[in-house]
Amino acid sequence: MTGPKKGSRGRAPKRNTAQGRGGDTRDTSKPARERTPRSDTSSSSGGRSEQRPSGPRRSGNATGPARSAANPARRNATDGGGERSGPQGRGEGTFKPGPGRRAPPRVKKALPELKRVQLPPLAPDMVFVDRDGEKLTFPESNLKRVAAQVLTDKRKAWRYRPFPFPLFTDRGGEQSFHFDFYIYDAEDSVIRLILVVPFESREVWDRVGRFKRQYPMYTYELWTPEKLYRLSGPRGRLEF
């Protein structure tokens, strides 16, 4: 059965409040945060003095001079040190890398010009006679005119492209290859083959090498402008 007890006159029953020593309650005592700090020489148990561990006492101020919270190595220029020098003393955001070293511009050197010899200019309609008495002219090439003149001056029996040599390619094909001048001996046998070229090239040596492998019994020579210049001189000498 609920409701106020008999004789309470409508008031709620009085609660029991916990009391400490001396009758202090929670309502009458101050919170622990508002209490004054206790001295180091007294304790709440009975006024006993607190014993501290013995040890050597430091003379003067134990903590020493007050140190600045900031690291002096990280002070900026406004802390009295002025503008700092060195790579660690520069302020953040002020370092700008210098422009990279550029390589010097490459200068293309001109290739040395080949020293061209000056061959004696012979008339395009100049007539030459071969070993059979046939008259020939070489209006399209001064190199061939000079070569024919050298062979005539050296009294050599020659013919101009009398027959081709069949060459077999690596793929099994066949192509004809002509030398320009064919030199004969007294028995009408070919003793020398001469190819007149303005300069040596890979194509020329490719054909000549293939000819050498397939016809090793023949001897050949390449006459360039430089060799014709030596042969047409007063000390020019043929080796056949």
Side-chain angles (χ1 to χ4, degrees):
M1 182 174 179
T2 59
K5 295 183 179 181
K6 188 177 181 180
S8 60
R9 297 182 182 180
R11 291 179 297 180
K14 189 175 182 181
R15 300 179 180 179
N16 296 328
T17 303
Q19 297 181 357
R21 294 183 179 180
D24 295 335
T25 61
R26 183 180 301 175
D27 297 334
T28 59
S29 61
K30 296 182 179 180
R33 289 176 297 179
E34 298 180 0
R35 297 177 182 176
T36 57
R38 292 170 295 179
S39 62
D40 296 339
T41 57
S42 61
S43 62
S44 60
S45 58
R48 300 178 181 177
S49 61
E50 184 179 358
Q51 297 180 357
R52 295 183 180 180
S54 59
R57 300 183 65 182
R58 298 180 181 179
S59 60
N61 192 355
T63 58
R67 298 182 180 179
S68 175
N71 191 346
R74 297 182 179 178
R75 294 178 182 176
N76 53 20
T78 59
D79 292 341
E83 185 178 359
R84 289 169 292 172
S85 60
Q88 297 180 355
R90 298 177 181 175
E92 297 182 359
T94 60
F95 176 75
K96 293 182 180 180
R101 184 178 181 182
R102 297 181 180 179
R106 296 182 179 179
V107 179
K108 294 184 179 180
K109 297 182 179 180
L111 296 177
E113 296 183 359
L114 297 177
K115 186 178 180 181
R116 298 295 181 181
V117 296
Q118 297 294 332
L119 297 177
L122 302 180
D125 57 350
M126 188 173 182
V127 180
F128 302 93
V129 180
D130 64 359
R131 68 180 298 272
D132 299 330
E134 184 178 356
K135 297 180 179 180
L136 299 173
T137 58
F138 306 98
E140 75 284 353
S141 174
N142 187 52
L143 293 178
K144 294 179 181 180
R145 292 196 296 268
V146 174
Q149 184 66 41
V150 170
L151 294 175
T152 302
D153 294 342
K154 305 298 181 183
R155 299 180 180 181
K156 298 297 180 180
W158 57 271
R159 286 178 179 175
Y160 179 73
R161 293 190 175 187
F163 59 88
F165 289 94
L167 296 179
F168 297 95
T169 61
D170 298 336
R171 298 182 178 179
E174 183 179 344
Q175 56 183 203
S176 60
F177 180 57
H178 281 88
F179 283 87
D180 293 319
F181 296 93
Y182 294 58
I183 313 301
Y184 295 85
D185 59 4
E187 298 178 358
D188 200 19
S189 299
V190 177
I191 60 174
R192 192 78 51 162
L193 300 171
I194 298 174
L195 181 63
V196 180
V197 292
F199 54 87
E200 299 179 4
S201 63
R202 182 177 180 181
E203 182 181 0
V204 171
W205 281 112
D206 181 66
R207 290 193 176 187
V208 171
R210 190 179 294 114
F211 170 82
K212 184 178 181 180
R213 291 192 300 269
Q214 298 179 19
Y215 301 93
M217 71 288 298
Y218 290 97
T219 304
Y220 63 90
E221 292 184 8
L222 266 65
W223 283 11
T224 59
E226 290 76 15
K227 187 166 185 178
L228 284 172
Y229 180 78
R230 294 192 300 268
L231 294 176
S232 61
R235 298 183 179 179
R237 180 180 179 181
L238 297 177
E239 297 179 359
F240 52 89

